[in-house]
mmCIF file of all heavy atoms in Angstrom:
data_model
loop_
_atom_site.group_PDB
_atom_site.id
_atom_site.type_symbol
_atom_site.label_atom_id
_atom_site.label_comp_id
_atom_site.label_asym_id
_atom_site.label_seq_id
_atom_site.Cartn_x
_atom_site.Cartn_y
_atom_site.Cartn_z
ATOM 1 N N ASP U 2 5.670 16.714 -17.885
ATOM 2 C CA ASP U 2 4.953 17.218 -16.708
ATOM 3 C C ASP U 2 5.633 16.845 -15.402
ATOM 4 O O ASP U 2 5.140 17.172 -14.335
ATOM 5 C CB ASP U 2 3.508 16.746 -16.722
ATOM 6 C CG ASP U 2 3.396 15.235 -16.640
ATOM 7 O OD1 ASP U 2 4.407 14.541 -16.790
ATOM 8 O OD2 ASP U 2 2.285 14.763 -16.426
ATOM 9 N N LEU U 5 6.137 10.561 -12.843
ATOM 10 C CA LEU U 5 6.825 9.304 -13.113
ATOM 11 C C LEU U 5 5.925 8.389 -13.913
ATOM 12 O O LEU U 5 4.705 8.441 -13.791
ATOM 13 C CB LEU U 5 7.175 8.613 -11.790
ATOM 14 C CG LEU U 5 8.191 9.317 -10.910
ATOM 15 C CD1 LEU U 5 8.274 8.626 -9.568
ATOM 16 C CD2 LEU U 5 9.551 9.330 -11.572
ATOM 17 N N MET U 11 4.380 1.886 -9.771
ATOM 18 C CA MET U 11 3.649 0.706 -9.316
ATOM 19 C C MET U 11 4.627 -0.364 -8.840
ATOM 20 O O MET U 11 4.432 -0.978 -7.795
ATOM 21 C CB MET U 11 2.777 0.160 -10.448
ATOM 22 C CG MET U 11 1.975 -1.050 -10.064
ATOM 23 S SD MET U 11 0.474 -0.648 -9.198
ATOM 24 C CE MET U 11 -0.522 -0.083 -10.542
ATOM 25 N N ALA U 27 9.211 -10.281 10.464
ATOM 26 C CA ALA U 27 10.437 -10.412 11.256
ATOM 27 C C ALA U 27 10.226 -9.864 12.669
ATOM 28 O O ALA U 27 10.691 -10.450 13.649
ATOM 29 C CB ALA U 27 11.584 -9.671 10.575
ATOM 30 N N GLU U 28 9.516 -8.754 12.768
ATOM 31 C CA GLU U 28 9.270 -8.160 14.089
ATOM 32 C C GLU U 28 8.362 -9.058 14.923
ATOM 33 O O GLU U 28 8.585 -9.240 16.119
ATOM 34 C CB GLU U 28 8.659 -6.765 13.936
ATOM 35 C CG GLU U 28 8.509 -6.006 15.232
ATOM 36 C CD GLU U 28 9.827 -5.726 15.940
ATOM 37 O OE1 GLU U 28 10.862 -5.573 15.276
ATOM 38 O OE2 GLU U 28 9.809 -5.658 17.200
ATOM 39 N N ARG U 31 10.164 -11.962 16.601
ATOM 40 C CA ARG U 31 11.045 -11.695 17.744
ATOM 41 C C ARG U 31 10.381 -12.144 19.035
ATOM 42 O O ARG U 31 9.155 -12.230 19.135
ATOM 43 C CB ARG U 31 11.346 -10.196 17.835
ATOM 44 C CG ARG U 31 12.242 -9.710 16.716
ATOM 45 C CD ARG U 31 12.583 -8.254 16.851
ATOM 46 N NE ARG U 31 13.056 -7.943 18.183
ATOM 47 C CZ ARG U 31 12.953 -6.752 18.744
ATOM 48 N NH1 ARG U 31 12.389 -5.761 18.113
ATOM 49 N NH2 ARG U 31 13.410 -6.546 19.965
ATOM 50 N N ASP U 35 7.951 -5.306 19.106
ATOM 51 C CA ASP U 35 7.578 -3.920 19.382
ATOM 52 C C ASP U 35 6.239 -3.650 18.687
ATOM 53 O O ASP U 35 6.178 -3.479 17.474
ATOM 54 C CB ASP U 35 8.670 -2.994 18.854
ATOM 55 C CG ASP U 35 8.410 -1.530 19.142
ATOM 56 O OD1 ASP U 35 7.281 -1.185 19.566
ATOM 57 O OD2 ASP U 35 9.329 -0.724 18.939
ATOM 58 N N THR U 43 2.468 -1.567 9.605
ATOM 59 C CA THR U 43 1.199 -2.000 9.035
ATOM 60 C C THR U 43 0.489 -0.833 8.360
ATOM 61 O O THR U 43 -0.061 -0.975 7.258
ATOM 62 C CB THR U 43 0.299 -2.619 10.119
ATOM 63 O OG1 THR U 43 0.980 -3.741 10.687
ATOM 64 C CG2 THR U 43 -1.038 -3.061 9.554
ATOM 65 N N GLY U 58 -6.629 1.896 -10.784
ATOM 66 C CA GLY U 58 -8.013 2.255 -11.079
ATOM 67 C C GLY U 58 -9.023 1.524 -10.233
ATOM 68 O O GLY U 58 -10.206 1.543 -10.538
ATOM 69 N N ASP U 68 -21.080 5.187 -13.445
ATOM 70 C CA ASP U 68 -21.954 6.347 -13.319
ATOM 71 C C ASP U 68 -21.251 7.613 -13.792
ATOM 72 O O ASP U 68 -21.850 8.469 -14.422
ATOM 73 C CB ASP U 68 -22.420 6.532 -11.868
ATOM 74 C CG ASP U 68 -23.461 5.486 -11.459
ATOM 75 O OD1 ASP U 68 -23.983 4.794 -12.352
ATOM 76 O OD2 ASP U 68 -23.715 5.363 -10.254
ATOM 77 N N LEU U 69 -19.952 7.738 -13.494
ATOM 78 C CA LEU U 69 -19.202 8.911 -13.919
ATOM 79 C C LEU U 69 -19.033 8.922 -15.437
ATOM 80 O O LEU U 69 -19.084 9.979 -16.061
ATOM 81 C CB LEU U 69 -17.821 8.932 -13.244
ATOM 82 C CG LEU U 69 -17.823 9.238 -11.756
ATOM 83 C CD1 LEU U 69 -16.405 9.116 -11.200
ATOM 84 C CD2 LEU U 69 -18.354 10.634 -11.492
ATOM 85 N N GLU U 72 -22.015 10.418 -17.437
ATOM 86 C CA GLU U 72 -22.274 11.867 -17.398
ATOM 87 C C GLU U 72 -21.646 12.601 -18.524
ATOM 88 O O GLU U 72 -20.818 12.294 -19.230
ATOM 89 C CB GLU U 72 -21.777 12.450 -16.074
ATOM 90 C CG GLU U 72 -22.590 11.969 -14.909
ATOM 91 C CD GLU U 72 -22.059 12.512 -13.588
ATOM 92 O OE1 GLU U 72 -21.017 13.173 -13.560
ATOM 93 O OE2 GLU U 72 -22.699 12.275 -12.581
#
Side-chain angles (χ1 to χ4, degrees):
D2 63 348
L5 294 172
M11 181 82 76
E28 186 62 31
R31 290 183 50 206
D35 182 349
T43 300
D68 287 347
L69 289 175
E72 292 178 355

